[in-house]
Amino acid sequence: TITLQDPSTLLGLSMIKDYDNYTFNHCVNVGVLAMALGATLGLDAPTVRDLGIAGQLHDIGKTRIPKNILNKPGKLSSIEFEEMKRHPELGAGIIREMEGLSPLIAQIVLGHHLFFNRNGYPDWARSLPGNRLIDIIAVADTYDAITTLRVYQHPITPRAALDELQKQAGSLLDDKLVASFLKMMGKYPVG
């Protein structure tokens, strides 16, 4: 809720809500999960706040992706996937233009699909210095994405999602952060 007092965050969330309701709900969820994980890790309040803002705005670049690609019910073609892969960079550009947001937020938005092994996208950003906050957003993003109904995918249960996170630990996701997330969610995660 602390992030909801920030006018830039509210403006960004409003922009996302106006464009695509699923993306809006996903962004709110990722912000909450990222803040919870940050607090569990003992991060200070300003950092937890930044995590909340970055999580809530991590997919703002999708407002620049054509809706026929964003909401396509089937598998994306290679051309469509290349277009979709632009959303982190587009999002970072939007964040940089918003008043009052730290450059760190833009960096997190840019890097949220780089993966822990830094083999993700955008390709040119792979050599940028790593940032643990990016990896926190990636864990929250992955968990929410696989537990939510989407036009192209049925959700899996929270328990199965935690198992999937464990499979990705050490390569796509930071293994230490996954372990902390699992502990935070508990043996019987709410879903």
Side-chain angles (χ1 to χ4, degrees):
T1 58
I2 203 166
T3 61
L4 294 179
Q5 297 169 2
D6 182 89
S8 294
T9 304
L10 289 173
L11 179 63
L13 281 172
S14 176
M15 185 175 155
I16 296 166
K17 174 102 173 114
D18 286 347
Y19 194 72
D20 183 69
N21 200 54
Y22 164 77
T23 303
F24 169 77
N25 289 325
H26 171 64
C27 286
V28 170
N29 292 344
V30 171
V32 169
L33 290 168
M35 289 176 71
L37 182 53
T40 297
L41 295 168
L43 301 179
D44 61 40
T47 304
V48 170
R49 178 184 177 275
D50 284 347
L51 275 171
I53 292 170
Q56 289 171 356
L57 300 179
H58 79 285
D59 274 347
I60 196 167
K62 288 185 176 179
T63 63
R64 300 289 189 261
I65 302 298
K67 283 189 179 187
N68 64 317
I69 294 174
L70 187 63
N71 294 316
K72 184 176 178 180
K75 185 177 168 135
L76 297 177
S77 71
S78 59
I79 293 170
E80 291 167 332
F81 185 59
E82 288 303 313
E83 181 68 17
M84 182 65 82
K85 284 171 45 177
R86 295 181 58 230
H87 82 270
E89 191 171 357
L90 294 169
I94 292 168
I95 299 296
R96 283 188 204 100
E97 292 178 16
M98 296 174 83
E99 246 180 77
L101 290 182
S102 158
L104 175 63
I105 305 299
Q107 181 186 1
I108 294 168
V109 169
L110 175 67
H112 77 274
H113 281 294
L114 285 174
F115 306 133
F116 182 59
N117 61 15
R118 297 306 185 249
N119 286 327
Y121 57 88
D123 298 349
W124 66 267
R126 290 177 182 172
S127 61
L128 295 176
N131 181 318
R132 193 162 193 225
L133 301 183
I134 291 171
D135 296 324
I136 290 171
I137 296 296
V139 170
D141 182 27
T142 301
Y143 177 81
D144 188 69
I146 60 180
T147 57
T148 305
L149 177 65
R150 301 170 95 164
V151 293
Y152 54 85
Q153 156 194 298
H154 291 292
I156 64 174
T157 66
R159 179 71 252 160
L162 295 180
D163 292 341
E164 184 59 34
L165 291 184
Q166 284 184 298
K167 289 177 191 170
Q168 295 181 24
S171 59
L172 300 181
L173 300 172
D174 181 315
D175 52 340
K176 292 182 179 103
L177 293 176
V178 168
S180 295
F181 189 83
L182 294 172
K183 188 175 180 182
M184 176 188 87
M185 294 300 283
K187 191 172 183 178
Y188 302 104
V190 175

